[in-house]
Amino acid sequence: MKKNERKDLVTNIYTADPSAHVFNGKIYIYPSHDEDLDIPEDDDGEQYVMKDYHILSMDSLDSECVDNGVALSEDEIPWVGRQLWAPDAIYLNGKYYLVFPAKDKNEIFRIGVAESDSPVGPFKPQENFIEGSYSIDPAVFQDDDGRIWCYNGGLWGGQLEMWQSGSFNPDERRPEGDDKALCALVAEFKPSMDAYVAAPKMITVLDENGEPLKASDEDRRYFEDPWMHKFNGKYYFSYSTGTTHYLCYAEGDSPEGPFTYKGRIMEPVIGWTTHHSIVQIDGEWYLFYHDAKRSGGCSHKRSVKFTKLNIAEDGTIETIHPYDHE
Ligand code: FUB
């Protein structure tokens, strides 16, 4: 195992939702910053009070992880009300873009973008959120043809159910039973990273019979935390099942899907949420994730870590049991 493998990468603050990337040969991790506050938990995620972003970096997986300090805070973003949740980042044409969700001043989750000349910020936010964006957990993927896709969406506190009619309705019913499960949204970013090309569309995960997963299929259906990686020309969409706490993946032939369910990437971690990213470093694949072990299981005081991911030639991912080395 690598020196830092499956260990908390930093302990000076709580961090969650790690989106890892390699820029110029160095590893950068774009996490949420969990506040060390005692707040009762609820299904709307009121306990996830995050006010700023800190970018983490490592020269290699064996190096110490550095907290580069505040890169962007909520009071610097004109459109934001509160709750800076799980971000991602992308490097394009000499600029680093931080893509993040937050509630606007009307308490509606939107996706925003901020830019910097440095991978660790400080990031300068755009004046407004991305028009047509909603819900949480953006993951940005640039395909080999240069097109930039944004996956995002989360149930419950992530508000995805509230948009089923096409506009925001906080009283919308949650799909249940044999209803088709909701899934992540996908939208293409313009290369300027200040607008979508078209309105987001909902992707579909199919079962082994080619049928869309149902809302009752909580072991397999999407809840939050989308990610995309490409392997041997296929697209692998991975996500958290939320209520059942698995990281799962599905395979497809296009970045917009549909995807067919393939299996589990990781069994549940300590804490309610599970959230990840998948990145290739020096020819090997790694899973970045978080757990709440250090805080004794407090779901909103999490710590990011990584572990090796074994992917077979046909794209099959070996399931990780997060504590089997202990
Ligand atoms: O960190 C706040 C929320 O918790 C994220 O947006 C979800 O993915 C879950 O990890």
Side-chain angles (χ1 to χ4, degrees):
M1 283 179 94
K2 299 268 181 198
K3 184 172 143 228
N4 290 317
E5 202 168 335
R6 297 197 187 179
K7 298 201 176 120
D8 294 356
L9 289 179
V10 293
T11 54
N12 59 317
I13 55 172
Y14 287 112
T15 55
D17 309 325
S19 294
H21 294 276
V22 178
F23 295 134
N24 285 325
K26 203 167 155 176
I27 303 156
Y28 294 92
I29 304 153
Y30 297 82
S32 309
H33 172 198
D34 283 347
E35 295 286 331
D36 190 359
L37 296 172
D38 294 324
I39 302 166
E41 297 185 8
D42 68 22
D43 287 354
D44 289 333
E46 283 297 315
Q47 64 273 29
Y48 299 106
V49 178
M50 287 92 114
K51 298 172 182 295
D52 58 24
Y53 292 115
H54 289 225
I55 315 309
L56 310 180
S57 57
M58 289 190 283
D59 288 337
S60 76
L61 291 174
D62 280 322
S63 313
E64 287 315 304
C65 188
V66 175
D67 170 5
N68 293 280
V70 177
L72 178 66
S73 61
E74 62 181 8
D75 51 16
E76 297 171 305
I77 313 168
W79 60 268
V80 161
R82 65 191 185 110
Q83 288 184 311
L84 299 182
W85 283 13
D88 192 13
I90 186 169
Y91 174 73
L92 281 176
N93 304 323
K95 295 273 182 207
Y96 296 88
Y97 294 91
L98 185 71
V99 182
F100 59 94
K103 280 184 180 155
D104 67 13
K105 298 196 190 295
N106 296 314
E107 290 284 292
I108 300 176
F109 267 115
R110 306 287 189 173
I111 307 299
V113 176
E115 71 173 62
S116 176
D117 293 328
S118 159
V120 298
F123 286 90
K124 186 176 178 345
Q126 294 170 4
E127 276 295 305
N128 291 309
F129 56 80
I130 299 296
E131 193 179 337
S133 70
Y134 57 94
S135 200
I136 59 167
D137 287 3
V140 188
F141 165 76
Q142 186 168 32
D143 206 348
D144 300 329
D145 61 5
R147 293 173 79 181
I148 306 147
W149 299 96
C150 181
Y151 302 87
N152 82 288
L155 304 186
W156 296 12
Q159 302 181 340
L160 191 58
E161 294 96 334
M162 300 174 185
W163 289 89
Q164 290 175 84
S165 66
S167 57
F168 185 72
N169 173 10
D171 300 320
E172 191 70 78
R173 75 179 266 280
R174 292 176 179 171
E176 56 186 20
D178 286 346
D179 292 341
K180 182 181 171 185
L182 297 181
C183 197
L185 306 168
V186 60
E188 185 177 0
F189 261 115
K190 289 189 175 171
S192 50
M193 289 299 290
D194 57 358
Y196 287 156
V197 171
K201 290 188 290 192
M202 190 167 283
I203 62 178
T204 302
V205 176
L206 306 170
D207 67 12
E208 59 284 5
N209 301 313
E211 297 293 328
L213 294 182
K214 295 184 165 62
S216 59
D217 192 352
E218 293 186 34
D219 282 354
R220 300 193 294 177
R221 64 92 180 85
Y222 177 86
F223 190 93
E224 62 188 5
D225 171 32
W227 192 258
M228 175 60 61
H229 73 276
K230 201 171 178 182
F231 184 84
N232 286 344
K234 294 265 189 195
Y235 297 84
Y236 291 88
F237 169 65
S238 49
Y239 54 93
S240 162
T241 61
T243 51
T244 48
H245 319 289
Y246 300 119
L247 289 178
C248 292
Y249 72 109
E251 180 191 271
D253 293 317
S254 152
E256 297 175 275
F259 301 94
T260 301
Y261 180 85
K262 295 301 271 187
R264 274 185 208 161
I265 297 174
M266 191 159 71
E267 297 291 324
V269 292
I270 295 169
W272 199 93
T273 65
T274 183
H275 193 117
H276 78 301
S277 58
I278 293 172
V279 63
Q280 196 173 26
I281 302 171
D282 297 333
E284 308 264 33
W285 290 89
Y286 292 89
L287 180 82
F288 283 72
Y289 65 103
H290 68 225
D291 75 7
K293 189 173 177 194
R294 181 161 59 97
S295 66
C298 178
S299 286
H300 61 280
K301 296 181 191 177
R302 301 163 288 180
S303 294
V304 303
K305 38 187 77 184
F306 71 85
T307 191
K308 176 108 171 37
L309 197 61
N310 294 317
I311 308 184
E313 263 312 288
D314 68 354
T316 303
I317 299 175
E318 193 180 300
T319 307
I320 293 163
H321 299 266
Y323 307 105
D324 63 359
H325 63 301
E326 293 181 359

